[in-house]
Amino acid sequence: MDEQPRLMHSHTGVGMAGHPGLPQHMQEGTGGTDGDGRKQDIGDILQQIMTITDQSLDEAQARKHALNCHRMKPALFNVLCEIKEKTVLSIRGAQEEEPPDPQLMRLDNMLLAEGVSGPEKGGGSAAAAAAAAASGGAGADNSAEHSDYRAKLSQIRQIYHTELEKYEQACNEFTTHVMNLLREQSRTRPISPKEIERMVSIIHRKFSSIQMQLKQSTCEAVMILRSRFLDARRKRRNFNKQATEILNEYFYSHLSNPYPSEEAKEELAKKCAITVAQVSNWFGNKRIRYKKNIGKFQEEANMYAARTAVNAANASSHGSQANSPSTPNSAGSAGSFNMSNSGDLFMSVQSLNGDSYQGAQVGANVQSQANGGWQDAPTPSSVTSPTEGPGSVHSDTSN
DNA sequence: CTAAATGATTGAGC
DNA sequence: GCTCAATCATTTAG
């Protein structure tokens, strides 16, 4: 009995001498009746433990309780813990501390950069701005697209956070559950805190791999959204009416030389809330399409010419020399261009008055009198036969 | 749904 | 680097 306190307390002392992992009294083979009794006792206990699984639940429960209360239990338990710890440690040595997964880091970085995992608002708009910058857009015109993009992004973001929260909650729940289970079991089987810790880390690893999948699919969704957003921008979206009017006004009031200077392009771009490149595209398309089928555009030309004429008339009648915003050159110094501009106007207004003209004919008039050839080299015959140029030219609408 | 309209892209010429 | 010409891809009108 006098040994009992020593055994119960000295966890470290147990098994230090002689055979490791076995309490001293189990190694004292020389003991007398007392030693034999203890051996028998231990054998008995082990026997009970070994057979506990064969018993009914109630029986086992009772047995468990009895064993728990047994005086030898703490000592045995310590021994088992010690053995267990060694094996656990060896297991643990096998699995090294994993470094932070580079792929996970990449995903995290991307989610942060896209504003999905970052702070609430700033990230999203930053990403949108980045997307806008990447696409080289003017930013002002595609606010609708931006809001669309942002809405979708925040949708993704919301799903991501909901899922993440769910996973975290599930992880915590599961961890707590397992820990409780292990703690509960640690009363009957040797489970060291380290082992619990290890189990927790295993659970966390499992859940973080699930999280990684979530992050990955979120990243994919963002990529798809982004590419679609950028694609949509790159593809096409009709300019609004106002922008088209501004461009048309400039075009038809400069019919003789519809080549806006860089500054003019910039101004038009600003007015239409589009990019300079888009202005260039528009003029490129317009010139070519106008030239290909002047007749078709005649009505439009007359309309804009009339409008510009009215504007000019109003401006002059008011005495104020307010130049029409769409015709910055009209009051300028380039004499010849001014002359030709007036020619455009004059002819167009004329054709407007004589509305019974066939469009093509009027077009021919405008074209021929207003130097519609534009750039000298190409399309030499288009001036004289405005309906369809030389016979070789195929249909203008490429569908 | 189809055809026309239209913005963007591409390649050649200068 | 700009423009033209052809073409693509999408939107819009009927």
Side-chain angles (χ1 to χ4, degrees), chain A residues 98-390:
Chain A
E98 55 187 319
D101 188 352
Q103 198 193 345
L104 185 61
M105 282 176 68
R106 253 204 320 274
L107 290 174
D108 277 338
N109 285 341
M110 181 182 161
L111 289 174
L112 206 63
E114 291 293 336
V116 175
S117 63
E120 187 49 48
K121 262 287 166 224
S125 55
S135 63
D141 69 311
N142 39 28
S143 60
E145 274 181 50
H146 271 176
S147 69
D148 193 33
Y149 175 83
R150 247 182 315 220
K152 294 235 169 73
L153 188 69
S154 86
Q155 208 176 327
I156 290 174
R157 178 195 170 88
Q158 196 168 2
I159 291 168
Y160 170 77
H161 278 114
T162 312
E163 292 297 308
L164 200 66
E165 210 171 305
K166 236 192 296 183
Y167 286 147
E168 252 154 34
Q169 197 182 334
C171 180
N172 284 340
E173 256 172 42
F174 191 67
T175 305
T176 312
H177 180 71
V178 168
M179 275 171 74
N180 285 340
L181 210 64
L182 289 174
R183 277 206 204 99
E184 165 73 20
Q185 290 194 357
S186 72
R187 284 195 292 178
T188 48
R189 76 188 176 89
I191 299 170
S192 66
K194 271 186 186 171
E195 198 181 355
I196 294 177
E197 204 178 292
R198 194 172 72 88
M199 195 58 85
V200 167
S201 82
I202 288 172
I203 292 168
H204 282 175
R205 217 172 305 154
K206 289 279 177 209
F207 270 89
S208 73
S209 83
I210 295 172
Q211 276 191 6
M212 189 153 105
Q213 279 177 27
L214 171 68
K215 285 175 181 175
Q216 191 149 19
S217 52
T218 305
C219 276
E220 276 167 22
V222 171
M223 295 289 265
I224 289 168
L225 174 65
R226 247 190 106 142
S227 71
R228 213 174 277 168
F229 170 73
L230 294 177
D231 258 12
R233 249 203 114 284
R234 215 189 74 241
K235 281 309 158 201
R236 205 163 74 69
R237 169 132 289 176
N238 288 3
F239 300 154
N240 61 40
K241 225 173 179 175
Q242 206 187 347
T244 312
E245 294 213 344
I246 291 169
L247 294 167
N248 272 319
E249 266 177 41
Y250 188 99
F251 180 81
Y252 287 113
S253 65
H254 296 73
L255 240 196
S256 62
N257 188 33
Y259 296 88
S261 64
E262 193 56 34
E263 298 89 63
K265 278 184 195 169
E266 274 167 24
E267 180 159 350
L268 284 168
K270 200 155 57 167
K271 265 194 260 181
C272 302
I274 56 179
T275 66
V276 173
Q278 285 177 304
V279 172
S280 298
N281 279 341
W282 190 91
F283 273 90
N285 283 324
K286 190 73 184 181
R287 280 191 300 263
I288 202 77
R289 283 163 185 165
Y290 178 84
K291 195 154 66 172
K292 259 188 176 174
N293 197 347
I294 291 170
K296 203 168 63 186
F297 288 95
Q298 197 52 51
E299 208 178 321
E300 192 178 71
N302 295 339
M303 196 188 82
Y304 280 102
R307 193 181 300 181
T308 312
V310 169
N311 281 350
N314 280 346
S316 63
S317 74
H318 280 78
S320 68
Q321 50 165 346
N323 43 353
S324 158
S326 61
T327 58
N329 288 342
S330 58
S333 53
S336 62
F337 280 162
N338 264 349
M339 290 303 291
S340 60
N341 280 347
S342 338
D344 292 344
L345 263 182
F346 179 70
M347 285 311 300
S348 295
V349 172
Q350 259 202 338
S351 66
L352 185 68
N353 292 339
D355 217 10
S356 57
Y357 273 22
Q358 284 292 318
Q361 274 185 317
V362 177
N365 284 342
V366 171
Q367 187 79 5
S368 58
Q369 300 210 10
N371 182 26
W374 298 332
Q375 301 218 328
D376 359 77
T379 65
S381 58
S382 66
V383 177
T384 52
S385 66
T387 37
E388 188 57 351

